[in-house]
Amino acid sequence: MAKKTVATLQTSSKRLTKAIKMVKSPKTGAYVFVESIMAPELVSDFFKKD
């Protein structure tokens, strides 16, 4: 189960989104957070891939 958070960032003329998802580590079994800053159109692809 992965949880997700999305925040919108505004820098000069570009619009960026910071996405954070929680992923279960296959090695230890603990949950880790994966963060990325991207264009708003790419957020759904970020959450679809493992």
Side-chain angles (χ1 to χ4, degrees):
M1 183 170 112
K3 295 191 179 204
K4 60 183 179 178
T5 304
V6 177
T8 304
L9 309 171
Q10 190 86 24
T11 58
S12 62
S13 63
K14 293 186 179 182
R15 203 167 153 233
L16 300 173
T17 301
K18 180 177 182 181
I20 305 169
K21 71 177 171 180
M22 190 169 72
V23 181
K24 190 170 188 175
S25 172
K27 194 173 189 180
T28 63
Y31 284 97
V32 294
F33 293 96
V34 179
E35 297 182 25
S36 182
I37 296 176
M38 66 198 80
E41 307 84 51
L42 303 175
V43 172
S44 61
D45 292 335
F46 174 73
F47 287 117
K48 285 183 185 174
K49 61 181 177 175
D50 292 328

